[in-house]
Amino acid sequence: MQSRHHGEYKVPGGKLVVVDLDVTDGALRDVRVAGDFFLEPDDALLDINAALEGAPADTGARGLADRIEAALPAGVALIGFTAEAVGIAVRRAVARATDWTDHDWQIIHEPPQEPALHMALDEVLTTEVAEGRRPPTLRVWEWDRPAVIIGSFQSLRNEVDAAGAEKHGITVVRRISGGGAMFVEPGNTITYSLCVPESLVHGLTFAESYAYLDDWVLAALGDMGINAWYKPLNDIATDAGKIAGAAQKRMVTGSGAVLHHVTMSYDIDADKMVEVLRIGKEKLSDKGTTSAKKRVDPLRRQTGLPRAEVIARMITSFRTRYGGTDGTVTDEEFARARELATEKFSSPEWTARVP
């Protein structure tokens, strides 16, 4: 049985790779690679197509890249893409991955909420996407108080200085995704969530999905004159330092969904942050700095724009690329989120589940 497949992969900071192919008797057939990349000489594209022809359909991206690299003559230049990027596009084609523009996006930007409710809204909205009751959603958060959000697997006592948190009136909550602790204050932080169907990241490894889901915001920052890039595994950085950190959670209910949320530093009270967070030397050792204050360089200084303007430009950039209509959290979603915020995310059992 033969079925035509189409896959796309935008290289983070690079070009778009598009692959169309058939899968016949478990093998790739009639493979056609295209995109807005650059390739010299031109006829090397025929070598790439030929290298993929007949490959087992379950070959991984690295294995496909090996076939391409072995087939290319010496001196071929791939500009804006790599052989592995082609392999990823093939994997996405075979898996019938969806693209950003295949979806009708909803964009939510509502008034400030308490930290526990934000944690609950992430879980509820992503579950709704997984169950097919909500379209893919970009939600921009507003905070009603300062907070520290620790990762799902972090030790509470190792990450948070309880005396410092109490001194500065900091609410501590634990999120459902992994990763590190985030220090946020209303007006100083830009936080957003992407709640997306699992099909959007078909064919990507966990690490690749971070870069893929961060790519739009790199472009949005570029539109504001900031040269930003994805720094594995989950940071967004500039020449001046880190400006954001991301985290993910996969939902296995329904058809599956991915929660990808990002906290960006618009401004920061670094002295307060180091009184509240226990940022140890071991954590800083691979960051090229000995001071937590030097790790983060706020967007306010880099853009010179008001926070509201940065957010507005980010949303405009997203909408220009992928579309999107303004939406709201429904009454039913809010009701479930409030219940979850009370029973789970405000409970000492959850917050201190890793003491």
Side-chain angles (χ1 to χ4, degrees), residues 235-293:
D235 287 351
I236 296 174
T238 70
D239 288 327
K242 174 181 174 178
I243 58 174
Q248 284 187 10
K249 174 68 175 179
R250 305 288 172 114
M251 302 294 192
V252 297
T253 185
S255 297
V258 179
L259 167 65
H260 180 91
H261 43 198
V262 174
T263 296
M264 311 178 76
S265 294
Y266 173 74
D267 205 347
I268 193 165
D269 186 332
D271 291 320
K272 186 185 296 184
M273 179 183 72
V274 297
E275 287 187 39
V276 174
L277 294 182
R278 299 185 188 277
I279 304 175
K281 293 180 180 179
E282 187 68 24
K283 183 178 295 185
L284 296 173
S285 64
D286 66 343
K287 307 296 182 181
T289 180
T290 57
S291 171
K293 298 179 184 179

Side-chain angles (χ1 to χ4, degrees), residues 325-345:
T325 57
D326 292 335
T328 62
V329 179
T330 68
D331 290 343
E332 293 79 9
E333 290 167 339
F334 257 130
R336 289 200 298 278
R338 290 190 183 99
E339 183 178 353
L340 200 58
T342 299
E343 295 181 356
K344 178 177 179 179
F345 292 105

Side-chain angles (χ1 to χ4, degrees), residues 85-120:
V86 177
I88 293 171
V90 170
R91 295 304 316 147
R92 287 175 57 76
V94 172
R96 295 196 181 279
T98 57
D99 186 58
W100 294 85
T101 54
D102 292 331
H103 300 285
D104 295 323
W105 289 87
Q106 188 172 114
I107 300 173
I108 297 175
H109 188 192
E110 295 189 320
Q113 307 289 350
E114 63 174 326
L117 186 56
H118 277 307
M119 304 303 107

Side-chain angles (χ1 to χ4, degrees), residues 97-160:
T98 57
D99 186 58
W100 294 85
T101 54
D102 292 331
H103 300 285
D104 295 323
W105 289 87
Q106 188 172 114
I107 300 173
I108 297 175
H109 188 192
E110 295 189 320
Q113 307 289 350
E114 63 174 326
L117 186 56
H118 277 307
M119 304 303 107
L121 283 169
D122 264 357
E123 182 168 334
V124 169
L125 297 184
T126 309
T127 300
E128 290 296 285
V129 171
E131 296 288 353
R133 293 188 291 262
R134 159 170 284 280
T137 299
L138 167 64
R139 181 174 74 92
V140 180
W141 306 20
E142 295 291 350
W143 298 89
D144 75 346
R145 69 194 71 179
V148 166
I149 305 94
I150 61 175
S152 181
F153 311 107
Q154 287 189 297
S155 162
L156 177 61
R157 70 167 67 97
N158 288 346
E159 297 299 326
V160 182

